[in-house]
Amino acid sequence: MIDISYVITVYNKADHIAPMLNALERQEGDFSREFIFVDDGSTDHSLDIIRERTKDWPNVRILEQENAGVSVATNTGGFAAKGEFIKIVDADDAMTPYASRRLLDMMRAHNLDQIAAEWKLSPDIETDSKNALETDASLDILENPLSEFFKVGMGGSTSTMIRTRAFKDVGGCDERVFVQDFSLPLRLSKKHRMACTDLLVVFGPENADGRILDAQATVIHDLSATMYYFLMDNPDISADLQRLAFKRCAGRAWKWAKRKQGKSIFSRAFYLYLLSRLPIWQQTSHLIGETMYIWKDETVRQSGSKKV
């Protein structure tokens, strides 16, 4: 079996892709690897750059699809993976040279299904990733990953490594949601073994056109949409976590409505926020769905499948 399958999703990243490819070539370690590039309907020269740069690499597959969003693209690559572990890589990020080796060692030593590490923004990801110094790192195995997600959240892509069997077991990312960073750890958190580490494994660009991190409405919408769909699919989640999810989603909606839309305390958003404070709810997916109206007139990126 291949040890690591790198799944690299690409959409119009021609101006940022070189440092990512350089960092892939610098990955240290005596492990077998494959590279799965998923071009999500790029209209620039991203695909040409990848083909030229990787023509002499072993075990490269380049998959092409019509533009459907990063969740769908991640699933395309993830379900094609043959490795024991999946290393998701965003096309505009650059990993530190030791990243794969150290994460692989942690995954195996502690029998993990997913690990999340540290990342930083940088004005020069090529230089910073290349010169990053390997350090000691702590490891925190999550006793209750599901509760952790609802209380403080989880996210990340290039900073994570996932057991391929676990990825496929949960059905990959939720393709109803554009952003893949949230739905995958949430799905894994229900019954899989997860951990986090303070090891620095990736640098992301401070400025990158089309970066999801900069699409604030999409990110906040998708975090709530992720919880909405998850609770719809998993009505057996405990009532305390159901209530916490409703409280967090209603709070996000009210904060956005107040700060970005000028809504008052007489608005529907504030009413839902007040409802979320009541300790009476047993099932809350339908209530979270009610909060999603606030994003109706905002610019929210859509996945290949319908959104809320």
Side-chain angles (χ1 to χ4, degrees):
M1 178 182 286
I2 294 170
D3 293 313
I4 296 178
S5 296
Y6 293 95
V7 173
I8 307 100
T9 58
V10 182
Y11 176 69
N12 288 352
K13 295 296 183 180
D15 293 337
H16 305 281
I17 208 168
M20 179 273 293
L21 293 169
N22 294 339
L24 278 178
E25 287 188 298
R26 287 194 293 265
Q27 290 305 289
E28 304 166 348
D30 183 21
F31 57 86
S32 56
R33 57 196 83 182
E34 68 171 349
F35 304 92
I36 304 172
F37 294 89
V38 183
D39 184 77
D40 189 32
S42 294
T43 57
D44 64 0
H45 300 296
S46 296
L47 198 54
D48 295 332
I49 295 171
I50 292 169
R51 284 176 173 151
E52 177 61 27
R53 280 291 309 276
T54 65
K55 62 184 180 182
D56 296 322
W57 292 16
N59 298 328
V60 173
R61 281 183 284 167
I62 299 175
L63 309 179
E64 300 178 56
Q65 64 181 37
E66 294 184 2
N67 182 247
V70 66
S71 287
V72 178
T74 300
N75 284 352
T76 298
F79 283 103
K82 298 177 181 178
E84 182 181 3
F85 298 98
I86 291 172
K87 185 70 191 71
I88 297 173
V89 180
D90 285 344
D92 52 10
D93 288 341
M95 289 186 291
T96 57
Y98 53 80
S100 300
R101 170 175 51 81
R102 291 288 300 277
L103 293 180
L104 181 62
D105 288 345
M106 291 180 187
M107 293 286 284
R108 286 178 167 162
H110 300 278
N111 192 30
L112 300 173
D113 294 310
Q114 191 255 16
I115 190 170
E118 291 293 314
W119 64 282
K120 287 184 179 180
L121 293 178
S122 166
D124 186 354
I125 64 173
E126 173 67 26
T127 299
D128 286 343
S129 63
K130 182 178 180 179
N131 297 329
L133 298 177
E134 186 172 356
T135 63
D136 293 334
S138 64
L139 182 74
D140 181 17
I141 298 176
L142 304 178
E143 293 185 6
N144 190 335
L146 184 62
S147 177
E148 187 81 7
F149 186 99
F150 280 99
K151 288 179 180 178
V152 299
M154 292 185 202
S157 51
T158 313
S159 58
T160 66
M161 181 176 283
I162 303 160
R163 188 178 297 275
T164 305
R165 182 176 66 248
F167 179 95
K168 295 179 179 180
D169 179 53
V170 301
C173 308
D174 189 338
E175 294 187 1
R176 295 167 293 189
V177 184
F178 183 87
V179 176
Q180 90 285 17
D181 289 29
F182 310 130
S183 67
L184 188 52
L186 179 53
R187 287 179 164 188
L188 289 166
S189 69
K190 188 177 181 183
K191 63 176 183 178
H192 290 86
R193 187 169 169 81
M194 304 172 71
C196 57
T197 176
D198 58 2
L199 182 70
L200 177 63
V201 300
V202 63
F203 288 90
E206 287 185 348
N207 298 293
D209 295 338
R211 183 174 56 187
I212 294 174
L213 183 64
D214 297 328
Q216 190 178 23
T218 296
V219 170
I220 300 174
H221 164 276
D222 281 11
L223 183 51
S224 290
T226 293
M227 290 184 170
Y228 167 70
Y229 285 123
F230 181 79
L231 291 179
M232 281 186 61
D233 296 340
N234 298 274
D236 60 322
I237 297 302
S238 65
D240 61 329
L241 290 182
Q242 295 253 1
R243 289 191 290 270
L244 179 57
F246 178 31
K247 186 183 297 184
R248 297 196 69 191
C249 293
R252 291 187 202 104
W254 164 237
K255 186 180 293 185
W256 186 274
K258 179 182 179 181
R259 295 180 179 179
K260 303 292 186 178
Q261 299 176 347
K263 302 291 186 181
S264 73
I265 60 173
F266 300 104
S267 65
R268 180 183 175 192
F270 187 70
Y271 170 71
L272 290 167
Y273 172 71
L274 290 179
L275 285 183
S276 74
R277 318 304 287 184
L278 300 176
I280 61 175
W281 311 111
Q282 301 298 309
Q283 300 283 328
T284 64
S285 62
H286 64 293
L287 294 166
I288 293 173
E290 289 291 320
T291 72
M292 303 304 292
Y293 88 93
I294 205 69
W295 313 104
K296 180 180 178 181
D297 296 323
E298 299 293 343
T299 302
V300 173
R301 300 186 191 181
Q302 297 189 35
S303 187
S305 301
K306 66 179 181 181
K307 72 178 185 71
V308 176

